[in-house]
Amino acid sequence: MTHMRQISFAEPDLDGLAGVEGRVAVFVNAAGQLGKGARRINRLTRGALARLTGSDAWAKGTSGSVTSLGYPSGMAASAVDVVMVDRRPEVIEARKAGAALAVAAGSEAITLVGDAQGRLPQIALGLVLRGYAFTDHKTDKGTPPAAATVLCARPEEARAATLPLLSVAEGVVFTRDLVNAPSNVLGTSEFATRLEALRDIGVEVEVLEEDRLAELGMGALLAVGQGSASPTKVVVMRWRGSDAAPLALIGKGVVFDTGGISLKPAAGMEDMTMDMGGAGTVAGVMKALALRGARAHVVGVVGIVENMPSGTAVRPGDVVRSMKGDTIEVINTDAEGRLVLADVLWYAQEHLAPAAMVDLATLTGACIVALGHENAAVFANDDGLANGFLRAAGIEGEGAWRMPMGKAYDALMDSAIADIKNSFGRPAGSITAAQFLRRFVREDMPWVHLDIAGVASRKSASDLSPKGATGWGVLALDRLVRDRFETVPEVDNVTPAET
């Protein structure tokens, strides 16, 4: 498991800066104006800081960039990291500044001189998230990040404002660890075991095994896993922070996707360890809500399965019956995620009586063709819920774009031998997949479908994450819960939009 950088807060001791070891970070705006702490560092370094911030190079810098003064004269620190950022930047800019500092600092200890910065909680969040490294399977695991100490005038207030953000960061890290894990380590049983561990922080967890799934009639889900030696499971996680009807978060948890009998090409198949990204995000949100003590009722339901080719695998042309009762002709066994979600969506409505549902899945390559790796595709039957999620994603800086739906696409689902089929050709591939899922959502149930195929994992670093699993969606869904499903205002905590 990944160790997050620990953050502590303390009263400023400017006289002691000369003897601080590790790295010292100081915040200076684009105009080069030095706050009290920066002026002390400038004196200690015999004017080096002023020369830097008064230079042409500084004038050409960008917000959030970091310039490091290595082994500064007059200080014991290995470097002074000078972060260009306004005193009260936008939330996203503050997080980017913290992330840039994480890259510059590596695993070294950091002392942040925070007197000239009004967004310290957000900077701390960026520092923690970008400092993530998945080293579980490396012989040389490197050095875990040392602690960061934030020097500020009211440390207890800053700590109280930061703690909820660090709880959400733990959820993001949990998601990243799950999605990054190889499938020989995170099989279906191992995945369920990791989710059962959430009981330790107050989450109620129930694991439904194959015999129970068969009793429930979840034939679509079971068909996906029938070619694998690993058992199919559904895990139900409940955070009971209020007595209201729950928000249901639904996740696709395909721990490895070969495509089944409709086998994928070999090139790139190793990436299919991340095909459980939707379930991983749901798990991360549940952990975040529990750790911050959210005053909301949220249930996470994930279908955990492995899609393998074998003598027992479902075949193209087979007909399976969903929990709803609709029969589905399997045209392509690689269109398996929608079969998983169809039964889990129906289970949630039948057994959990949710107020609304949001599902997440690395569902279609067509989503990546449409939106690349910057935005998830958002589909919905309810404008209010969709707009609420898009607002939350915008506040948290997680890219999301609403896509169209319509009954005209339904005709593509027609099957000659069953009620519907599971694959409809290349045109509008992400839309038709969403339209298939909508068939398993009752008309009066507010629902959002998030296709996260392009954002769950990336081949290159982003602002807040290294390459690999991003944890996309944990921040936005936590924000959605705060905005729309918290039953009592959080007067004792400061939220990201307020800090």
Side-chain angles (χ1 to χ4, degrees):
M1 300 295 288
T2 299
H3 297 286
M4 285 175 31
R5 188 188 291 272
Q6 298 300 303
I7 308 291
S8 63
F9 297 84
E11 294 277 356
D13 177 14
L14 300 186
D15 292 335
L17 284 176
V20 170
E21 297 182 346
R23 305 178 78 95
V24 173
V26 64
F27 305 99
V28 180
N29 65 17
Q33 297 171 322
L34 304 184
K36 187 175 181 181
R39 291 195 297 273
R40 177 61 61 90
I41 292 173
N42 186 54
R43 288 197 295 273
L44 290 171
T45 59
R46 300 179 182 179
L49 189 56
R51 290 195 298 274
L52 168 65
T53 57
S55 68
D56 290 341
W58 182 263
K60 295 176 182 177
T62 58
S63 178
S65 62
V66 176
T67 304
S68 298
L69 302 176
Y71 299 100
S73 175
M75 298 182 69
S78 60
V80 171
D81 295 314
V82 188
V83 186
M84 180 187 287
V85 64
D86 290 341
R87 178 176 177 81
R88 197 165 182 82
E90 296 295 325
V91 166
I92 303 305
E93 289 302 311
R95 292 179 184 175
K96 288 180 181 179
L101 183 57
V103 174
S107 61
E108 288 190 77
I110 312 172
T111 299
L112 288 77
V113 182
D115 64 306
Q117 181 45 239
R119 298 279 193 188
L120 290 174
Q122 300 296 339
I123 285 175
L125 179 62
L127 176 64
V128 167
L129 290 180
R130 188 59 181 86
Y132 173 90
F134 185 71
T135 61
D136 284 6
H137 306 289
K138 290 181 175 290
T139 302
D140 181 3
K141 300 185 184 303
T143 304
T149 302
V150 181
L151 305 181
C152 55
R154 294 185 292 275
E156 287 306 313
E157 289 183 21
R159 179 179 179 276
T162 305
L163 279 178
L165 301 185
L166 296 182
S167 295
V168 180
E170 288 204 44
V172 174
V173 168
F174 186 45
T175 295
R176 290 177 182 176
D177 281 350
L178 290 169
V179 177
N180 278 327
S183 57
N184 64 323
V185 171
L186 193 78
T188 59
S189 296
E190 293 80 8
F191 195 173
T193 297
R194 292 201 193 183
L195 300 187
E196 287 182 285
L198 293 174
R199 291 171 180 151
D200 294 341
I201 57 173
V203 179
E204 301 168 27
V205 182
E206 180 184 11
V207 180
L208 307 181
E209 304 290 353
E210 285 187 341
D211 55 351
R212 177 59 177 149
L213 302 180
E215 289 175 7
L216 290 165
M218 300 178 98
L221 168 63
L222 288 169
V224 175
Q226 71 187 44
S228 172
S230 298
T232 298
K233 300 172 183 284
V234 168
V235 179
V236 183
M237 300 162 280
R238 187 188 297 270
W239 173 251
R240 205 184 296 267
S242 81
D243 295 326
L247 168 67
L249 303 178
I250 312 297
K252 170 190 171 185
V254 180
V255 297
F256 193 80
D257 182 21
T258 65
I261 297 298
S262 306
L263 195 65
K264 293 179 180 289
M269 195 192 291
E270 68 276 6
D271 293 335
M272 288 299 101
T273 58
M274 51 73 72
D275 209 23
M276 38 60 67
T281 300
V282 170
V285 175
M286 299 306 297
K287 183 167 187 175
L289 297 175
L291 288 176
R292 73 172 181 84
R295 297 184 179 101
H297 189 185
V298 181
V299 181
V301 191
V302 296
I304 303 177
V305 64
E306 185 176 41
N307 188 22
M308 296 288 282
S310 76
T312 61
V314 67
R315 295 155 296 214
D318 285 358
V319 175
V320 301
R321 185 176 294 275
S322 69
M323 183 180 175
K324 179 187 176 187
D326 289 355
T327 57
I328 305 167
E329 181 186 6
V330 179
I331 301 298
N332 186 336
T333 64
D334 195 24
E336 86 298 334
R338 63 202 69 182
L339 299 178
V340 172
L341 290 175
D343 275 350
V344 179
L345 285 165
W346 200 254
Y347 172 87
Q349 292 166 100
E350 286 281 292
H351 292 272
L352 303 175
M357 298 192 300
V358 178
D359 79 71
L360 300 94
T362 50
L363 202 64
T364 67
C367 174
I368 303 175
V369 173
L371 298 176
H373 297 280
E374 300 302 321
N375 290 282
V378 180
F379 301 87
N381 67 356
D382 183 274
D383 289 342
L385 185 59
N387 291 337
F389 176 78
L390 290 167
R391 177 183 180 276
I395 290 173
E396 300 298 335
E398 295 192 310
W401 191 263
R402 190 165 183 187
M403 301 283 280
M405 299 185 74
K407 290 186 177 180
Y409 297 103
D410 287 346
L412 298 173
M413 279 189 266
D414 291 344
S415 165
I417 63 172
D419 296 328
I420 52 175
K421 58 188 179 183
N422 80 322
S423 184
F424 331 109
R426 291 176 62 84
S430 61
I431 300 173
T432 54
Q435 204 71 31
F436 178 96
L437 295 178
R438 186 171 187 171
R439 188 179 178 108
F440 298 89
V441 177
R442 292 171 175 155
E443 286 297 323
D444 61 349
M445 176 59 62
W447 162 73
V448 167
H449 161 57
L450 303 174
D451 192 332
I452 62 172
V455 295
S457 185
R458 295 171 55 121
K459 295 290 188 182
S460 59
S462 63
D463 288 334
L464 297 183
S465 67
K467 67 178 181 179
T470 63
W472 184 98
V474 175
L475 290 165
L477 287 168
D478 177 78
R479 165 59 57 184
L480 178 70
V481 170
R482 288 177 183 272
D483 288 349
R484 295 179 67 90
F485 296 95
E486 296 263 10
T487 57
V488 180
E490 290 203 44
V491 296
D492 55 338
N493 286 331
V494 181
T495 65
E498 296 166 340
T499 56

